[in-house]
Amino acid sequence: MQVYIELAVLENFCMDFTLLYAAKVAVKNPASYFRVGFGAALGACVAVVVPLLGLNAVLSVAVKVLSGLTICLCAGKFASFKSYAKFAGAFLCFTAVLGGALIGLFSLTGLKYESGGGYLISSVPIGIPLFGALVVILGARALAQRLSKSGKNAVICRIYAGQSSVELSGFFDSGNKVYFKGEPVSIIPKAAAEKLSDGKRIKDGVKIHTVAGDKTISVFTADRVEITAGEKTFVVKAVKIGVSPNKIYRAVLHPDLAAD
């Protein structure tokens, strides 16, 4: 029995890690591999323990949903409840899709799959469900790339800081992965930044990765940014702004700022 339990923990860890990573990719969460791994380990323990509690069907489902939400809270890095909700929603959706796919596989092929006693016994090698999880993560990547491309249209942005403001053309760049303390950072030209800040606002810096190597850029907080895309204008308050170390002419907006 101990061998079966160890196998169940390993299998559930691999599955949860893959699904959590798929959610991270889909919603562009900045969580580290360590956080994702910790959430997966917690999920593996819960998956093995819950069947041992002897709960009825309703309580079992409730515990699994609550544990899933807790796992997401541990595995992701969130700047707001909205970002947590997106991460948790993606994780639960991918879990449901994968679960349905595996049930369909077992039903169609007539393969034996049983559960009980807090561990899983399967005639199917562990590689098959992991391959299904891999398909999910590849699909998540494709979805994230498609969503990113659709948000790369040019926009006009007006940035306000104190009594100063600048207007720039810009675009949402899916390649902008810069975060400062969990908050997305948009990059603007140095000349525009000098108009917005007298130096007193700039107290922080963040490391970015470029082709030439790692660089630390100055970061300050703008009071608000008004973004106009076509006929639609929306406002984002307290936006982190990074000062480009290179010569650029447009604002490189973080994709997290895009309106839903």
Side-chain angles (χ1 to χ4, degrees):
M1 180 179 293
Q2 181 178 355
V3 174
Y4 289 135
I5 292 176
E6 291 175 351
L7 179 60
V9 171
L10 175 61
E11 181 173 5
N12 281 292
F13 173 82
C14 293
M15 297 285 278
D16 283 344
F17 185 92
T18 307
L19 290 166
L20 287 168
Y21 185 75
K24 163 185 161 66
V25 171
V27 302
K28 306 180 186 67
N29 190 276
S32 64
Y33 288 109
F34 175 81
R35 292 181 71 99
V36 175
F38 177 77
L42 177 61
C45 293
V46 171
V48 173
V49 171
V50 169
L52 295 174
L53 300 178
L55 302 175
N56 59 42
V58 175
L59 285 177
S60 179
V61 171
V63 170
K64 289 179 180 179
V65 172
L66 289 175
S67 64
L69 296 175
T70 304
I71 289 166
C72 290
L73 187 62
C74 296
K77 189 173 182 180
F78 312 108
S80 64
F81 177 78
K82 182 179 179 181
S83 60
Y84 165 71
K86 286 183 177 180
F87 185 94
F91 173 72
L92 293 176
C93 286
F94 289 139
T95 300
V97 169
L98 179 60
L102 290 178
I103 291 174
L105 172 66
F106 295 135
S107 298
L108 291 173
T109 60
L111 295 173
K112 184 180 179 182
Y113 194 82
E114 300 175 351
S115 64
Y119 53 87
L120 299 179
I121 305 174
S122 173
S123 59
V124 181
I126 193 171
I128 290 181
L130 287 181
F131 176 76
L134 178 60
V135 171
V136 171
I137 194 171
L138 292 176
R141 281 189 175 275
L143 175 62
Q145 290 175 356
R146 176 168 292 185
L147 292 175
S148 297
K149 289 178 180 178
S150 65
K152 212 169 182 179
N153 297 326
V155 299
I156 299 297
C157 56
R158 287 167 290 279
I159 306 172
Y160 298 84
Q163 302 301 316
S164 303
S165 66
V166 295
E167 181 173 300
L168 296 165
S169 62
F171 63 97
F172 291 105
D173 184 7
S174 61
N176 183 353
K177 308 293 185 182
V178 183
Y179 287 87
F180 177 74
K181 295 182 178 180
E183 297 185 39
V185 178
S186 297
I187 312 297
I188 66 172
K190 183 178 180 180
E194 290 175 345
K195 294 179 181 178
L196 293 170
S197 176
D198 56 4
K200 294 181 180 180
R201 280 181 174 266
I202 301 178
K203 300 178 181 179
D204 301 301
V206 64
K207 183 178 289 187
I208 64 172
H209 305 287
T210 66
V211 177
D214 294 345
K215 293 183 179 180
T216 298
I217 64 172
S218 299
V219 176
F220 66 95
T221 303
D223 297 330
R224 71 182 190 277
V225 177
E226 296 178 358
I227 302 172
T228 300
E231 298 180 354
K232 181 179 180 181
T233 297
F234 58 97
V235 178
V236 185
K237 296 182 178 180
V239 178
K240 294 297 182 184
I241 301 294
V243 184
S244 174
N246 303 317
K247 194 171 184 179
I248 62 174
Y249 301 95
R250 296 191 292 170
V252 182
L253 301 178
H254 198 286
D256 285 5
L257 300 184
D260 294 333

